Amino acid sequence: MSHFVRLKSVKADYGKLTAEFETSGFRISHIIQLLLIQTLSLILSGGSMNIFIQGIAASLMGVLMTGTAAQGGEIAVIETTLGNIELEFLDDVAPGHVKNFKDLANKGYYDGTTFHRVIPGFMIQGGDPNSKSDDRSMHGTGGPGYTIKAEFNDTPHDRGILSMARSQDPNSAGSQFFVVVKNSHFLDGQYTAFGRVINGMDVVDKIVNVPRDSRDNPNDKVEMKSVKIVSR
């Protein structure tokens, strides 16, 4: 195969990768690894690469390295009454929040809780043990009995980001979390982003649009039947 054909193939593949990266972070890591293996094979076999190919290889390596924390390991699967939501974690920027969420989920803490606050065009919020109660006045006031330190980071609150709810005290987060349905950059640096939705944003959109009362609590419970931490 001539170098021109290799170059055209890489350009086409790279364009495809860019589109797929936006929709499925899981698939792209495997594609990138395959391309990197091919590139390294060319180097080890004594083949030459022009500057463009070297740049592509370097860029792909950067994407692979920066995405490793989110790509690997475990994800959360939230089974709701309206469908499943899958979340990946940002262990590299908010390890304490990730550990706290996983620990609570593994204890069954979230099972049976609801999304007690839904605001169209903004977010859905859940994780309060008080939301298991029929006393709706208590929904949104509960927690695990402890708080964790803030881990504000550079992750923008884009659509699908998982972040931790808190009171006015930056270090007051406990168990309640939210998922934004629209870019909400006014939250950046003030709330700890620690994950993102990788599957089930359609379910999040259903939840945020259910009929709700004056306190933004759904009229009919949107329950988290279970929250499980599973391997990818």
Side-chain angles (χ1 to χ4, degrees):
M1 180 183 292
S2 70
H3 289 301
F4 175 76
V5 175
R6 286 181 187 274
L7 175 58
K8 184 176 181 181
S9 176
V10 172
K11 288 178 69 176
D13 286 344
Y14 186 70
K16 182 179 179 182
L17 282 171
T18 301
E20 289 191 345
F21 181 73
E22 295 176 351
T23 58
S24 178
F26 181 67
R27 287 198 303 271
I28 191 174
S29 65
H30 295 285
I31 298 171
I32 290 175
Q33 289 179 57
L34 290 174
L35 288 177
L36 284 173
I37 290 171
Q38 291 176 348
T39 303
L40 291 173
S41 296
L42 179 62
I43 296 172
L44 294 174
S45 65
S48 61
M49 292 192 302
N50 63 27
I51 294 176
F52 180 81
I53 297 294
Q54 293 178 29
I56 291 294
S59 297
L60 292 176
M61 180 64 80
V63 172
L64 180 63
M65 294 301 291
T66 56
T68 297
Q71 301 299 330
E74 300 173 318
I75 64 171
V77 179
I78 303 179
E79 180 187 359
T80 81
T81 49
L82 294 179
N84 288 1
I85 303 168
E86 296 182 5
L87 305 160
E88 67 180 8
F89 297 107
L90 303 177
D91 306 73
D92 55 334
V93 296
H97 281 65
V98 172
K99 182 181 184 302
N100 179 63
F101 186 94
K102 288 182 177 180
D103 287 347
L104 292 173
N106 286 329
K107 294 176 184 176
Y109 177 94
Y110 290 121
D111 299 355
T113 62
T114 72
F115 286 101
H116 63 272
R117 188 173 178 227
V118 299
I119 303 178
F122 182 26
M123 61 89 201
I124 63 172
Q125 181 174 331
D128 177 11
N130 289 349
S131 65
K132 297 179 182 181
S133 168
D134 290 331
D135 183 0
R136 295 168 65 88
S137 67
M138 296 299 293
H139 294 186
T141 64
Y146 62 82
T147 58
I148 58 177
K149 291 184 178 180
E151 293 177 298
F152 302 152
N153 54 72
D154 294 332
T155 304
H157 281 74
D158 291 334
R159 172 175 162 82
I161 283 293
L162 169 70
S163 194
M164 208 67 175
R166 64 172 178 83
S167 65
Q168 291 185 344
D169 180 354
N171 299 312
S172 59
S175 63
Q176 294 188 42
F177 61 88
F178 62 93
V179 176
V180 292
V181 300
K182 184 178 181 180
N183 293 354
S184 303
H185 295 164
F186 61 91
L187 301 175
D188 295 352
Q190 301 184 60
Y191 291 82
T192 300
F194 68 101
R196 63 170 61 89
V197 175
I198 54 173
N199 279 307
M201 270 308 293
D202 59 324
V203 176
V204 176
D205 289 334
K206 289 179 184 177
I207 295 172
V208 81
N209 286 303
V210 298
R212 64 196 195 281
D213 64 18
S214 60
R215 299 177 67 240
D216 297 315
N217 197 343
N219 294 335
D220 297 320
K221 283 188 175 183
V222 181
E223 183 181 345
M224 295 182 226
K225 294 180 179 180
S226 68
V227 179
K228 298 187 181 301
I229 306 301
V230 301
S231 298
R232 277 189 183 274

